[in-house]
Amino acid sequence: MLRKTEDRGPYSLRRRLSAAMLVGFFFILCVIAIGMWNYARDTANRTYDLLLDGSVIAILERIKATEKGIIVDFPPSALEILALAADDRVFYRIFDVAGNTITGEDGLPLPENFEPKEFHQFFDEEFSGAAFRFVVQAKELVGPAGPVQVNVQVGHTKQARNFIHNDLFSKGMIGLGVLAVAGMIFVRLGINLAMRPLAGIEEDISRRAPTDLEPLSSEPPREIAGLISAINGFMRRLDTSRDNAQTFIADVAHQVRTSLTAVSGQLERTLNRSDPHAVRQGLEKASSQTARTIHLTNQLLSHAMIVHRADVRPNETIDLVSLATSILEEVVRPDKNEGIDFEFEFSGCRIGRKITGDRISLREALRNLVDNAVTYSRPNAHICLELRDASFQGKPVVALCVNDDGPGIPEESRGKVVERFYTLGNHHGSGLGLAIADAVAKVHGGVLELSESPFGGLRAALILPIDQGANHDNGE
């Protein structure tokens, strides 16, 4: 099926519009042609029926009932009227109520179930090998012997009326055909005019350099404004993604090169020392620097992953209690975290335990907040994860907080610590943990809020919007 589509190639919008208009014109032509055919036929019939009717009336006026019987003073004008068409033939018949012919052509056909009536009755019949149009009308005469009824029937071949019918129809159709051709030409010109903006957009894109991701400057028609807006939006996202990739590569190159240079310098200085104690101290510093480099690399990759996933719309239902529990299980295992008192409090949360988002990004953000609390806490520290309902800008939200009893962050520095590679003190942090958490919060439509914890240290809170549907569907 795919091969067949590829063989046919892309369809032509211009051709489709032309075909649709052609079909529409053909349908309209058929409807008009049927109307014109009926109109021409009715016009021709009406014209010659008046002649037939006039002929019958002229004959009826010249019929009398006398003592000798029915006398017909046949008026020549009655048939002269119908003789205007030289090629047509005319027959007449005058007969009584019993059907006996008084004068005229005997054997003219009558309509089925004929009943004499004192008004004209028109009908079509075959007679003498030709198509005829007949009219018959009755008249009651008062004679010496009382009233008597006579019928006058006149028939006329249909050549003249058929000629008028065909002539009116053909001339009308010729005019209509010329009008249809002119209409299709104007439709084609209109389609070309309407398609011209697309050609301009095509030219704009084809002339661009691969790095030019500026929005399209062409003024699109209203019908494709949505398409152009979508293309411009895609180009903006592509430009942002490219800038993020370039920034990431520059950051990785600078940070890793600096860290590896520090490790290399430490090892060189250690090699030049002869004192075993100094050598051991140098190796310990090189090992520490290597661990920091590994941590920095992991943080950079984590931040790059978060930035990449920010372009993906989060749509997974996440249980925040389960997420926080799994993070705590991970951080209490390393031996270096022995002596730290971890606590998880979620009794203050009733409605927002579930949100819609990206599980991997949220997990990375929360893990960085907990690691940040562990890094900056004092020995025998107390770290508390807290999940509670809150309000942000008048809307109900859920706050996923990490409280520690460390030195905290001065209020004037809380805006800077969410910037990449900005650190406080001499804890040799990567400067990416809070930046990652802040980016994840923004991706989910929330914020990262920094304040003083109840223990005197730092409270880092992920303020996230509540997904009412997810909590309702899960029985919350």
Side-chain angles (χ1 to χ4, degrees):
M1 181 64 71
L2 180 59
R3 179 180 296 279
K4 184 177 180 181
T5 303
E6 291 176 347
D7 291 341
R8 289 189 303 181
Y11 68 84
S12 168
L13 187 58
R14 183 181 285 105
R15 187 177 302 170
R16 282 196 173 190
L17 289 173
S18 299
M21 295 302 298
L22 185 61
V23 171
F25 264 105
F26 180 75
F27 176 75
I28 294 173
L29 280 176
C30 289
V31 173
I32 294 178
I34 294 173
M36 288 187 62
W37 175 270
N38 292 328
Y39 172 77
R41 182 196 57 194
D42 294 342
T43 300
N45 283 338
R46 189 165 52 251
T47 300
Y48 278 89
D49 284 352
L50 288 175
L51 296 178
L52 277 175
D53 196 31
S55 178
V56 169
I57 293 174
I59 295 172
L60 286 173
E61 290 178 347
R62 305 296 291 270
I63 299 175
K64 296 180 180 178
T66 64
E67 295 177 351
K68 297 179 180 179
I70 303 299
I71 296 177
V72 179
D73 182 12
F74 197 89
S77 61
L79 299 181
E80 288 175 355
I81 296 174
L82 300 173
L84 295 176
D87 296 332
D88 275 322
R89 290 179 293 165
V90 181
F91 290 93
Y92 73 95
R93 179 192 178 202
I94 302 174
F95 56 97
D96 58 19
V97 69
N100 299 315
T101 301
I102 301 172
T103 183
E105 181 71 22
D106 194 14
L108 293 182
L110 291 172
E112 190 175 358
N113 300 323
F114 170 72
E115 292 183 5
K117 297 178 181 177
E118 293 189 0
F119 56 84
H120 53 240
Q121 300 181 64
F122 291 97
F123 60 96
D124 296 325
E125 280 292 345
E126 294 284 337
F127 179 72
S128 186
F132 270 78
R133 179 76 167 172
F134 290 99
V135 61
V136 58
Q137 184 171 347
K139 183 177 181 180
E140 188 175 83
L141 303 175
V142 179
V148 60
Q149 186 181 57
V150 294
N151 298 281
V152 176
Q153 179 181 6
V154 179
H156 190 220
T157 52
K158 301 174 65 174
Q159 293 184 30
R161 69 177 65 207
N162 287 342
F163 175 79
I164 292 179
H165 178 194
N166 294 331
D167 186 59
L168 290 175
F169 178 72
S170 59
K171 288 181 178 177
M173 287 302 298
I174 290 173
L176 194 61
V178 172
L179 183 63
V181 171
M184 283 304 300
I185 292 174
F186 281 109
V187 166
R188 186 72 177 184
L189 293 175
I191 292 174
N192 291 338
L193 184 63
M195 300 287 285
R196 187 173 298 173
L198 296 180
I201 294 170
E202 177 187 355
E203 184 180 2
D204 185 359
I205 296 177
S206 61
R207 286 186 308 180
R208 289 183 172 222
T211 56
D212 185 1
L213 297 176
E214 289 295 321
L216 296 173
S217 57
S218 305
E219 187 67 27
R222 183 170 50 195
E223 287 75 9
I224 62 170
L227 173 63
I228 300 303
S229 177
I231 293 175
N232 285 336
F234 174 75
M235 293 176 73
R236 282 193 296 271
R237 294 195 297 274
L238 197 60
D239 191 30
T240 302
S241 178
R242 184 192 61 180
D243 291 342
N244 290 335
Q246 291 176 345
T247 303
F248 170 72
I249 292 172
D251 289 344
V252 168
H254 174 72
Q255 296 295 331
V256 173
R257 186 184 299 116
T258 301
S259 190
L260 290 177
T261 300
V263 174
S264 177
Q266 187 63 44
L267 290 174
E268 287 181 0
R269 288 192 296 272
T270 302
L271 288 174
N272 294 329
R273 293 174 179 173
S274 57
D275 181 7
H277 180 68
V279 170
R280 182 176 180 81
Q281 286 184 332
L283 290 175
E284 288 177 350
K285 290 182 178 178
S287 176
S288 176
Q289 185 63 34
T290 301
R292 181 176 180 277
T293 303
I294 294 173
H295 177 68
L296 174 63
T297 304
N298 289 332
Q299 291 289 80
L300 286 169
L301 293 175
S302 176
H303 189 267
M305 179 192 68
I306 297 301
V307 172
H308 170 72
R309 296 180 72 88
D311 294 334
V312 181
R313 186 180 180 84
N315 56 6
E316 185 181 1
T317 300
I318 302 169
D319 186 337
L320 294 178
V321 174
S322 174
L323 178 67
T325 304
S326 65
I327 295 294
L328 281 179
E329 289 175 353
E330 292 178 7
V331 296
V332 298
R333 288 173 186 166
D335 295 339
K336 65 179 183 179
N337 292 335
E338 288 184 357
I340 299 178
D341 182 19
F342 290 101
E343 179 186 3
F344 182 31
E345 173 62 43
F346 56 93
S347 59
C349 182
R350 287 292 179 268
I351 58 175
R353 293 181 179 178
K354 294 182 176 64
I355 67 168
T356 298
D358 181 20
R359 180 184 298 276
I360 295 177
S361 298
L362 282 172
R363 182 181 182 81
E364 197 67 25
L366 185 57
R367 180 58 192 264
N368 274 280
L369 292 182
V370 174
D371 287 344
N372 195 65
V374 171
T375 301
Y376 289 92
S377 291
R378 299 182 179 88
N380 300 321
H382 180 205
I383 297 175
C384 175
L385 268 68
E386 180 185 5
L387 185 63
R388 60 183 177 84
D389 297 327
S391 176
F392 182 74
Q393 295 181 346
K395 297 180 180 178
V397 296
V398 60
L400 185 56
C401 312
V402 179
N403 301 307
D404 62 48
D405 56 0
I409 297 176
E411 188 172 355
E412 63 273 14
S413 300
R414 290 171 187 169
K416 295 182 179 179
V417 292
V418 297
E419 299 175 2
R420 291 183 303 171
F421 309 118
Y422 186 88
T423 59
L424 290 174
N426 297 317
H427 293 82
H428 305 295
S430 65
L432 287 173
L434 293 178
I436 291 173
D438 182 64
V440 171
K442 290 177 179 175
V443 167
H444 288 77
V447 295
L448 173 65
E449 189 176 80
L450 301 179
S451 58
E452 185 176 346
S453 77
F455 315 130
L458 176 69
R459 162 176 281 184
L462 288 170
I463 308 297
L464 303 170
I466 294 175
D467 184 355
Q468 299 284 3
N471 288 280
H472 177 74
D473 294 342
N474 288 276
E476 297 295 338

